[in-house]
Amino acid sequence: MSSKARVFVIEADQVIRSALGYILSERHETFTFAETADALSKAVRATPDAVLVGSSILEDDGAETVGMLARKLHQAGIIVVAGSTKSPLALAGLRQGAEAIIAKPITFDGVTHAVDSVLARRCTEPGSAASLALVSTEISR
């Protein structure tokens, strides 16, 4: 059994999905998905500790996707990956239950910091997702 946290990446854009998967795979047990339904199917067998949801998913399916994931995967911290921390879709994702925003362009340090911060808060305060502070990480080159 792995002691690494399990992280799901849901992003329709293959380049971004692959980059996020690569960045996270060294520190976490990482699974990447192009569609939300595939991630939910996997979650039945392997519960995630964190879920990164890309802006392409929110553009296609709406910010309500974050709320649905937060309800179905209540033990996982949800992180939105968007073009900006001020993106209307990203902000709607926060209102729907996301705990952080990672702004593009993504970097190794920015992604790992955001994911590790969300995971650390969840480990120190189990079951108290509603009281968590938001981590908004604007990443620049």
Side-chain angles (χ1 to χ4, degrees):
M1 179 179 232
S2 175
S3 62
K4 292 182 175 182
R6 185 173 296 127
V7 178
F8 284 10
V9 175
I10 310 171
E11 170 59 70
D13 183 298
Q14 191 271 330
V15 173
I16 296 170
R17 184 174 66 247
S18 294
L20 290 167
Y22 176 78
I23 290 168
L24 294 167
S25 65
E26 185 176 317
R27 292 177 147 173
H28 307 290
E29 182 181 5
T30 305
F31 298 90
T32 61
F33 307 94
E35 297 182 14
T36 305
D38 294 335
L40 290 172
S41 293
K42 178 67 174 179
V44 171
R45 299 178 308 281
T47 305
D49 299 300
V51 179
L52 280 70
V53 182
S55 58
S56 65
I57 297 297
L58 300 182
E59 289 166 2
D60 292 345
D61 301 335
E64 299 79 19
T65 302
V66 172
M68 180 270 297
L69 288 168
R71 285 187 303 279
K72 291 188 176 196
L73 307 173
H74 56 87
Q75 71 288 350
I78 310 293
I79 302 168
V80 172
V81 181
S84 164
T85 57
K86 296 177 180 154
S87 156
L89 273 176
L91 294 174
L94 289 176
R95 288 189 298 274
Q96 291 285 328
E99 297 176 28
I101 297 171
I102 298 172
K104 297 175 194 170
I106 60 172
T107 65
F108 184 91
D109 289 339
V111 171
T112 57
H113 172 74
V115 172
D116 291 348
S117 294
V118 168
L119 290 171
R121 283 194 313 270
R122 288 194 156 262
C123 288
T124 59
E125 299 180 36
S128 61
S131 66
L132 296 176
L134 298 175
V135 175
S136 295
T137 307
E138 181 120 16
I139 303 168
S140 59
R141 291 181 188 199

